């Protein structure tokens, strides 16, 4: 790691959020505040929020709900009481009626006092546990980008919300896959165990070399692709379900909480 | 299940052991005393026992040691204090200098007062947990026989003892394999998680349709073979290491203890 990367990893969550609030970091949060829980967020008007709450509850592997912050509260409650959810992520995505219409550095101009914020677990949490178990993460050696696919698996719908499951993929040897299943099973609130390994077509992926999001990654002889449910499912839900307003983190630009990763491990 | 199978499953361990002692059941113990821990046993003279203890310790996935009973004690200590290890299994295998020389219903005529008995976990324990999780066990629908292979993986040697790892195989869909990895991880003392899945050649299995022990099983489209370390590794150790005397349970003819399966689960 470079000294710069070391420095990012050693930042406190409050320091990192202050950097993002000041606009002095506008990219992904991987590698920041090592050991601290990073989350995705979704902000919705109250009518749509009711359906989305049910949608998360019915699809806990893709949309693992960590908290719901109501009534226009801008702090992140017990996850980060000092934070301001409108400013403290590096970048946001704003959808209106199912169309991406803005990717701002803060959401001041979209904010409404009735918005409900959903805080969702993301896979950065188990990345750290997998690295600690010496499970290689090829993407970090190649493009630095994740490799994600829209599958043919329908999420359980709820009210206005529907989506097809989006998965992230990592190639690995079977013995690493077995260990990765054990390791990620500890974290059901950050997607948990994989949903599939092996044949991509079995979950509706037509071409493993053409991910729908992120960059392809090489799969070496003896390796299998292993697929985890992914928070990127929220954007398929936004496009398909067309809520009047849908604000989320931008891909990879997560909300860094004051809680430790291990606080969401079940074992 | 037939009424007869129901009756076997409902027997107490003491009742089953009495049946075996009387010679009125001379076959495998699968399906007997459901919920009770079944084990493999290995009896060795004291000199060889020292090396074997170290061999088990170094290869806990293949040879998960549950107890060691010393000095010619014929009871199974805390696992089954009323049992007599010389008579209470349906059938035994006796090796002398690496050759199978007898498969008696009891070991009275081979017994010596200095023999040390090793009690080892076996996969019947996690079978029950897998059935409870609705993970299909194809062998039960087809031949009723397990499917085992001698791999190219060397166990860690210890003194006179060496072996190649023997694995049992079950074909299943990836989603069942993921669940099976979670379920069997709870039972490290009965072989735990798989050692491999997928390509048989990667662990030195030349022909998946020709198991070294037991019967072949069909692998359907979309399924992968999943391989667990197997107690049958002891017979490769007996043949390769040639102890002067080596007594074990006969394949599938296990020692039924008074302990519950769940007593060896770590979660």
């Amino acid at each position: 790691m470079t000294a710069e990367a070391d420095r990012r990893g050693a930042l406190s969550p409050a320091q990192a959020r202050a950097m993002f609030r000041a606009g002095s970091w506008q990219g992904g949060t991987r590698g920041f505040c090592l050991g601290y829980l990073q989350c995705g967020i979704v902000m919705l008007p109250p009518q749509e929020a009711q359906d989305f709450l049910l949608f998360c509850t019915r699809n806990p592997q893709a949309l693992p709900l960590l908290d719901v912050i109501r009534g226009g509260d801008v702090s992140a409650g017990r996850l980060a009481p000092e934070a301001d959810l409108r400013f403290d992520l590096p970048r946001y995505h704003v959808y209106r009626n199912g169309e991406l219409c803005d990717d701002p550095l803060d959401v001041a101009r979209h904010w409404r006092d009735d918005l409900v914020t959903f805080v969702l677990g993301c896979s950065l949490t188990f990345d750290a546990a997998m690295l600690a178990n010496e499970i290689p993460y090829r993407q970090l050696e190649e493009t630095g980008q994740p490799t994600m696919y829209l599958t043919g698996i329908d999420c359980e719908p709820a009210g206005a919300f529907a989506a097809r499951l989006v998965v992230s993929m990592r190639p690995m040897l079977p013995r690493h896959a077995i260990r990765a299943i054990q390791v990620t099973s500890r974290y059901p609130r950050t997607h948990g165990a994989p949903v599939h390994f092996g044949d991509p077509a079995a979950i509706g992926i037509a071409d493993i070399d053409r991910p729908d999001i992120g960059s392809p990654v090489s799969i070496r002889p003896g390796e299998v692709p292993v697929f985890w449910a992914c928070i990127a499912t929220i954007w398929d839900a936004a496009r398909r379900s067309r809520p009047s307003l849908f604000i989320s983190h931008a891909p990879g630009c997560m909300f860094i909480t004051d809680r430790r990763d291990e606080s969401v491990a079940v074992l």
Side-chain angles (χ1 to χ4, degrees), chain A residues 169-237:
Chain A
M169 184 276 280
R170 296 164 199 230
M172 56 185 81
L173 294 169
R175 68 188 165 85
H176 287 137
I178 290 165
R179 186 69 185 139
I181 291 168
Q182 294 178 315
V183 168
T184 57
S185 292
R186 300 181 58 222
Y187 300 96
R189 303 186 78 187
T190 70
H191 306 305
V195 294
H196 182 61
F197 63 75
D199 181 18
I203 55 171
I205 297 171
D207 185 349
I208 196 74
D209 294 324
R210 296 186 55 190
D212 296 289
I213 309 169
S215 303
V217 67
S218 54
I219 303 177
R220 296 184 187 155
E223 293 181 338
V224 290
V226 185
F227 301 93
W228 275 265
C230 181
I231 194 168
T233 305
I234 61 173
W235 295 301
D236 194 59

Side-chain angles (χ1 to χ4, degrees), chain A residues 111-193:
Chain A
W111 184 254
R112 288 162 34 177
D113 278 342
D114 62 349
L115 292 181
V116 179
T117 302
F118 296 84
V119 185
L120 301 163
C122 88
S123 61
L124 289 179
T125 297
F126 61 58
D127 280 356
M130 293 223 267
L131 282 174
N133 280 275
E134 298 182 313
I135 296 165
Y137 188 18
R138 173 79 35 78
Q139 280 87 345
L140 295 186
E141 302 157 27
E142 295 188 350
T143 63
Q145 298 301 310
T147 309
M148 297 186 273
Y149 305 86
L150 185 62
T151 70
I153 300 170
D154 284 320
C155 291
E156 194 72 33
F161 283 94
R164 276 189 288 154
L165 178 67
V166 175
V167 292
S168 61
M169 184 276 280
R170 296 164 199 230
M172 56 185 81
L173 294 169
R175 68 188 165 85
H176 287 137
I178 290 165
R179 186 69 185 139
I181 291 168
Q182 294 178 315
V183 168
T184 57
S185 292
R186 300 181 58 222
Y187 300 96
R189 303 186 78 187
T190 70
H191 306 305

Side-chain angles (χ1 to χ4, degrees), chain A residues 12-262:
Chain A
S12 74
Q15 289 171 324
R17 292 193 302 260
M19 260 181 84
F20 307 155
R21 197 180 315 160
S24 54
W25 180 264
Q26 306 181 0
T29 53
R30 174 183 294 283
F32 277 84
C33 311
L34 294 175
Y36 284 93
L37 182 67
Q38 300 200 20
C39 295
I41 63 161
V42 171
M43 294 164 163
L44 286 165
Q47 315 84 286
E48 279 114 341
Q50 289 198 15
D51 285 348
F52 193 73
L53 177 58
L54 192 56
F55 188 59
C56 293
T57 306
R58 289 182 177 170
N59 298 283
Q61 212 163 359
L63 306 168
L65 204 50
L66 291 171
D67 206 356
V68 182
I69 295 153
R70 292 181 181 281
D73 190 352
V74 298
S75 90
R78 61 201 178 83
L79 292 172
E82 309 298 318
D84 188 323
L85 289 164
R86 301 169 298 178
F87 300 98
D88 285 2
L89 282 72
R91 190 177 288 279
Y92 298 78
H93 270 188
V94 181
Y95 286 78
R96 289 187 186 273
N97 303 310
E99 303 286 336
L100 178 64
C101 65
D102 199 5
D103 65 339
L105 303 183
D106 66 69
V107 293
R109 71 179 172 281
H110 299 283
W111 184 254
R112 288 162 34 177
D113 278 342
D114 62 349
L115 292 181
V116 179
T117 302
F118 296 84
V119 185
L120 301 163
C122 88
S123 61
L124 289 179
T125 297
F126 61 58
D127 280 356
M130 293 223 267
L131 282 174
N133 280 275
E134 298 182 313
I135 296 165
Y137 188 18
R138 173 79 35 78
Q139 280 87 345
L140 295 186
E141 302 157 27
E142 295 188 350
T143 63
Q145 298 301 310
T147 309
M148 297 186 273
Y149 305 86
L150 185 62
T151 70
I153 300 170
D154 284 320
C155 291
E156 194 72 33
F161 283 94
R164 276 189 288 154
L165 178 67
V166 175
V167 292
S168 61
M169 184 276 280
R170 296 164 199 230
M172 56 185 81
L173 294 169
R175 68 188 165 85
H176 287 137
I178 290 165
R179 186 69 185 139
I181 291 168
Q182 294 178 315
V183 168
T184 57
S185 292
R186 300 181 58 222
Y187 300 96
R189 303 186 78 187
T190 70
H191 306 305
V195 294
H196 182 61
F197 63 75
D199 181 18
I203 55 171
I205 297 171
D207 185 349
I208 196 74
D209 294 324
R210 296 186 55 190
D212 296 289
I213 309 169
S215 303
V217 67
S218 54
I219 303 177
R220 296 184 187 155
E223 293 181 338
V224 290
V226 185
F227 301 93
W228 275 265
C230 181
I231 194 168
T233 305
I234 61 173
W235 295 301
D236 194 59
R239 281 185 294 267
R240 237 172 254 275
S241 314
R242 306 183 156 272
S244 58
L245 175 63
F246 176 104
I247 301 172
S248 72
H249 65 284
C253 299
M254 314 312 286
F255 175 59
I256 305 183
T257 75
D258 293 339
R259 299 275 289 276
R260 289 275 178 180
D261 281 329
E262 289 306 298

